[in-house]
Amino acid sequence: MSLVSADNVNLYYEVVGEKVHIDAVDAGAVSATVNTTQQVVGSIGTALLNALATTR
């Protein structure tokens, strides 16, 4: 899971236990990218589970 934290002006994105420094001007784009990626991976996972369930 990912977590956004801010201390003063520094923004960090934590993904798989690693903190990555994000500039404040890029925070919106990074957030949108992470959210979109989570949605796509979730959709693919659901499609795979559905395909496995219907082929048996």
Side-chain angles (χ1 to χ4, degrees):
M1 227 28 162
S2 56
L3 172 71
V4 177
S5 63
D7 58 357
N8 296 338
V9 187
N10 296 321
L11 298 173
Y12 297 93
Y13 233 96
E14 188 172 335
V15 181
V16 194
E18 294 291 326
K19 280 190 175 181
V20 179
H21 181 265
I22 305 299
D23 291 330
V25 295
D26 296 330
V30 171
S31 178
T33 302
V34 170
N35 288 336
T36 302
T37 303
Q38 288 175 341
Q39 292 290 322
V40 170
V41 171
S43 297
I44 292 170
T46 302
L48 286 173
L49 288 174
N50 187 33
L52 288 173
T54 57
T55 57
R56 292 178 179 234

